[in-house]
Amino acid sequence: MSGDIVLRNMIINGNLTIDEVVNDGNVTLDSVTVKGNTYVNGGGASNMDSVNCMNFTAADVYVAKPDGAVKIVASGNSIVKKVMVSSETIMVESAMTGTGFGTIQIQNSAVASLQVSLMSVKADSVQINSSGTILISDVGSTISTLTVDAANTKIKGLGIIDLAKIKVSGTTFEKAPTKMTLSDGVATPQIVAPK
């Protein structure tokens, strides 16, 4: 799939790929259900050019745009069980009636510092498995459980983290989690106020 495209009122029994030839274009998925995997390899990062998911249902979404960031906006009765992120991504929930993004897994990045931003996202679980990740969670976002299993992770923003499970040393927060557990031998994360 390429270009500025709208898919509406569809059930896709196989996989859906938003190809990198979309580049920074706009993609709208309106009342679309994907039974297989969804691959986001293209799409823009601005308000006008992004991947807009309205009443969208998917089990597994893989985000791996080769160049630049992509914004994924979920709204309405959208249900996305798991998002695997390996490139710069902005995730937004807007006017939600569904559960939105369930589990977000940040993994296998080829860049030294992968940045992932959450805007008004209410996530059940965020798992960080890629070293050098910068997770930005705005004041409207809530993470029920954050698991950090990668070195040099920075958690920025004023979002609420109910429970942080820290499995490696070197994590920093701008705002302390409500509750935190540390694996054996792991140093207590630093709380570094934003500059």
Side-chain angles (χ1 to χ4, degrees), residues 105-117:
Q105 189 168 320
I106 302 169
Q107 60 185 15
N108 304 330
S109 175
V111 298
S113 58
L114 172 61
Q115 183 168 297
V116 177
S117 300

Side-chain angles (χ1 to χ4, degrees), residues 11 21 26 29 37 83-84 89 99 102 109 117 123 133 146 152 160 172-173 187 190 192:
I11 296 175
V21 297
N26 193 66
L29 306 174
N37 296 329
V83 184
M84 276 70 72
T89 306
T99 55
S109 175
S117 300
T133 293
L146 169 71
N152 302 317
I160 296 171
T172 62
F173 290 88
Q190 290 184 312
V192 180

Side-chain angles (χ1 to χ4, degrees), residues 47-86:
N47 290 332
M48 298 300 294
D49 295 305
S50 54
V51 178
N52 297 294
C53 304
M54 299 176 289
N55 307 314
F56 174 69
T57 302
D60 294 329
V61 176
Y62 296 83
V63 184
K65 184 180 176 183
D67 185 30
V70 61
K71 178 187 277 187
I72 303 174
V73 182
S75 62
N77 190 30
S78 289
I79 302 170
V80 181
K81 290 184 179 178
K82 183 183 275 190
V83 184
M84 276 70 72
V85 177
S86 57

